[in-house]
Amino acid sequence: MNDCLFCKMVRGEIQPKKAYENERVLAFHDINPQAPTHVLVIPKEHIATINDLRAEHATLVGELYLVAQEVARSEGLGESGYRTVINCGRDAGQAVFHIHLHVLGGRPMNWPPG
Ligand code: AMP
Ligand code: ZN
């Protein structure tokens, strides 16, 4: 996906502040953080939204959460807690159409979300 912002990060054409990387997954700090810790965990494979997930992505989606857990632990959020969010589509406010798991923590969170 030539024009996808997050694919450009995967290819190294844009360099985010990385929090974690392996062969399948990249995690980096959000450019406009909404909490003291705000990391985005993405698959390196371009998948636009949750609606585009297929059965063969199940292991990869699970790995996004394992990386979120690892990032949260390394950011010192393992005990205090954190929120994970994947926005899907217009009403959820999805702005970048390459699936990403937000990991937010370091302050109390409200519920329900806005
Ligand atoms: P969403 O609204 O769920 O699609 O979230 C997109 C997120 O990507 C927002 O939290 C943005 O702040 C973040 N974002 C956009 N551009 C960049 C960038 N260049 N580096 C890091 N995060 C970004
Ligand atoms: Zn992409």
Side-chain angles (χ1 to χ4, degrees):
M1 288 305 239
N2 285 346
D3 291 341
C4 172
L5 178 66
F6 289 173
C7 282
K8 287 181 182 171
M9 292 181 183
V10 170
R11 292 195 298 266
E13 295 166 18
I14 295 174
Q15 269 132 28
K17 189 180 167 206
K18 289 182 186 177
Y20 179 91
E21 183 169 21
N22 68 23
E23 306 82 61
R24 296 165 301 279
V25 177
L26 175 66
F28 54 89
H29 294 269
D30 197 291
I31 204 166
N32 183 23
Q34 301 300 311
T37 294
H38 187 172
V39 170
L40 303 178
V41 183
I42 68 168
K44 290 189 171 179
E45 176 183 349
H46 181 87
I47 303 166
T49 80
I50 288 178
N51 289 337
D52 299 295
L53 289 171
R54 300 291 173 254
E56 63 262 30
H57 296 126
T59 303
L60 181 60
V61 172
E63 191 171 12
L64 298 182
Y65 283 91
L66 292 174
V67 170
Q69 179 196 89
E70 179 62 31
V71 167
R73 191 182 297 117
S74 67
E75 290 281 321
L77 302 174
E79 291 299 315
S80 55
Y82 52 95
R83 181 168 291 170
T84 59
V85 178
I86 300 178
N87 294 317
C88 181
R90 184 191 57 219
D91 276 3
Q94 185 175 3
V96 178
F97 283 78
H98 178 133
I99 211 167
H100 48 283
L101 178 64
H102 294 258
V103 181
L104 298 138
R107 65 168 173 82
M109 303 279 160
N110 295 321
W111 193 264

